[in-house]
Amino acid sequence: MEELPHIAVVDDHQEIRQLLVRYLGQHGYAVSEAASAQEFRNQLDAGLCPHLVVLDIMMPHEDGLSLCRHLRATSSLPVIFLTAMAEDTDRIVGLELGADDYLVKPFNPRELLARIRAVLRRSNNPQAQEDNTPKTERLRFGDKIFDLTRHEVTGSDGVAVPLSTSEFRLLCVFLEHPGKVLSRDALLELTSGREADVWDRSIDNQVSRLRRKVEEDPKNPVLIKTYWGDGYCFTGKVSPA
């Protein structure tokens, strides 16, 4: 019997956890819940292996940002943040840490379901419904080797730098469209399957993080160029490695 995709819900509000356990369960997902970051850490230590985590930012003791930082240092588990409207700064920090998406409370469970499906489609996940990544397992650009299987970039010094799920998807899109200026809206659609709202700066944050991992000087990028008012363009030469 095929394993159901597993969603972990980490939120200190019991009613939200119960709502999502019931709703996501009705739509074909296995769902586990944790009332705190520590409880979720304990579950992971005990062998829990979710395909995606829905993570509240504001929780007592350890908040969602701290937990996301831990997850990014130890795994490529996709993360969708739940945030309050007033937490704009925390939302931006969460995206900079490598979260794949966010949803503002109060939220419509149907919209969260759509975000979950979009993230899983684009993640390196056994339950993914499609694979939009290049077919070659290793690509070269400049002095970097991009390993699509291991989700990491290796420089001339031989040091492998792991990529988060969102960084991996963004680099794939750039390498599939070298020399083409891609708007923020196009990049968001290609990487996350959704449209940007007027305040959405998540692509800018993702580009900034990716530059820190592939550029020699992220403040003066030569591979991922900014075209003000138009978007971004990958200028490097791409070839199989």
Side-chain angles (χ1 to χ4, degrees), residues 77-97:
L77 178 64
V79 174
I80 296 179
F81 269 130
L82 296 180
T83 79
M85 185 66 75
E87 296 167 7
D88 185 64
T89 300
D90 286 342
R91 185 162 65 247
I92 293 171
V93 171
L95 292 168
E96 290 176 343
L97 287 175

Side-chain angles (χ1 to χ4, degrees), residues 140 142-145 153-159 216:
R140 180 187 302 275
D143 64 350
K144 303 289 193 298
I145 300 294
V153 173
T154 303
S156 57
D157 57 4
V159 176
E216 293 301 322

Side-chain angles (χ1 to χ4, degrees), residues 95-117:
L95 292 168
E96 290 176 343
L97 287 175
D100 297 271
D101 207 343
Y102 67 87
L103 197 59
V104 175
K105 295 179 179 179
F107 61 89
N108 186 323
R110 292 178 60 186
E111 183 176 0
L112 177 60
L113 179 63
R115 301 285 180 93
I116 288 172
R117 287 172 172 168

Side-chain angles (χ1 to χ4, degrees), residues 132-184:
N132 294 325
T133 61
K135 302 306 178 185
T136 305
E137 292 185 356
R138 285 160 54 92
L139 295 173
R140 180 187 302 275
F141 57 91
D143 64 350
K144 303 289 193 298
I145 300 294
F146 177 31
D147 191 317
L148 286 87
T149 302
R150 300 176 63 89
H151 286 209
E152 61 187 25
V153 173
T154 303
S156 57
D157 57 4
V159 176
V161 178
L163 302 176
S164 70
T165 302
S166 56
E167 293 162 357
F168 170 80
R169 292 198 308 261
L170 183 59
L171 184 54
C172 284
V173 169
F174 277 134
L175 298 189
E176 288 173 342
H177 303 87
K180 181 177 180 180
V181 178
L182 298 170
S183 69
R184 291 174 175 83

